[in-house]
Amino acid sequence: MTQLAVFAADVVAIGLLTFALYFPRHRRRDLVVSFIGVNVGVLAVAGVLATTTIGAGVGLGLFGVLSIIRLRSTELEQHEVAYYFSALALGLLAGLSTAAPWITLSLMAMILVVMFVGDHPRMLPRYRHQVVVLDRAIPDEAQLVAHLEQMLGGRVHRVVVQKLDLVNETTTVEVRYEIGRRVSTATPQELTEAFAR
């Protein structure tokens, strides 16, 4: 199999990653362009670096710097960061491929399978994470957890108070919870002890 065939496999892989996995699940159009552009750009530069005397380490260092700049330029959620680095990895694998073609293709397929399974809607579907602004100040953590569980209809696993405004009577919290699970009937003291562990 020629290098051109590996490049073609990369184009197919980034197409699957972007149009079969990411976009149907998350519907963010601007990142579709980003994933494809990053992948093809990395593929092109890595393909050139593989045929020159410049070491692959220099190329990987350049991509690391570029990825840091890209990730700092806009706010990405964690699953979007995973897609972004998958797009980078696919381009690097195809562009710097020196191993047997079947190894490269297997690694590319592994990335697609991991992203398919890891970001599947059925993977831990009841778990949620959000920032909640409450219209009252609740300084007691056990009362805060009990209030959030009643309001969200689920079991709170972790709560971090980001802002407690006693003047305007608001509480801003980051909460991780599980919906559809029976809300705890523990006393405030038992909840406090559980969170202290």
Side-chain angles (χ1 to χ4, degrees):
M1 184 183 291
T2 65
Q3 189 68 21
L4 197 57
V6 174
F7 287 0
D10 174 68
V11 171
V12 171
I14 191 62
L16 289 172
L17 182 75
T18 304
F19 295 110
L21 297 181
Y22 177 76
F23 191 71
R25 292 177 180 176
H26 304 288
R27 302 289 179 184
R28 189 168 168 187
R29 183 184 178 278
D30 60 325
L31 286 182
V32 168
V33 177
S34 177
F35 296 149
I36 294 172
V38 162
N39 176 266
V40 174
V42 166
L43 174 67
V45 175
V48 170
L49 287 175
T51 60
T52 64
T53 56
I54 298 175
V58 174
L60 290 171
L62 289 172
F63 296 134
V65 170
L66 289 173
S67 68
I68 290 170
I69 292 170
R70 174 66 185 92
L71 290 173
R72 288 174 60 87
S73 65
T74 185
E75 186 175 332
L76 296 177
E77 295 183 18
Q78 293 304 311
H79 68 275
E80 292 167 340
V81 172
Y83 278 100
Y84 186 77
F85 278 106
S86 295
L88 277 170
L90 289 171
L92 284 172
L93 279 171
L96 295 176
S97 175
T98 56
W102 67 268
I103 294 176
T104 301
L105 295 177
S106 298
L107 291 171
M108 292 169 79
M110 181 183 69
I111 290 171
L112 292 175
V113 168
V114 165
M115 292 306 296
F116 174 78
V117 173
D119 190 43
H120 197 280
R122 292 184 181 169
M123 177 68 74
L124 305 172
R126 298 186 309 176
Y127 288 86
R128 302 285 189 273
H129 167 244
Q130 63 183 325
V131 174
V132 178
V133 179
L134 301 172
D135 60 354
R136 62 185 205 183
I138 307 175
D140 182 76
E141 186 172 349
Q143 289 178 356
L144 177 61
V145 168
H147 181 71
L148 286 168
E149 287 184 341
Q150 290 298 324
M151 185 181 71
L152 298 170
R155 173 81 171 146
V156 171
H157 292 288
R158 183 167 189 259
V159 64
V160 176
V161 177
Q162 294 182 338
K163 184 178 179 184
L164 180 63
D165 190 338
L166 298 174
V167 175
N168 296 316
E169 290 289 319
T170 61
T171 308
T172 303
V173 295
E174 177 186 350
V175 58
R176 296 177 194 272
Y177 64 101
E178 182 180 359
I179 60 171
R181 190 169 164 196
R182 189 175 68 81
V183 176
S184 173
T185 57
T187 65
Q189 181 166 348
E190 290 171 338
L191 284 170
T192 304
E193 289 172 359
F195 273 91
R197 277 186 238 139

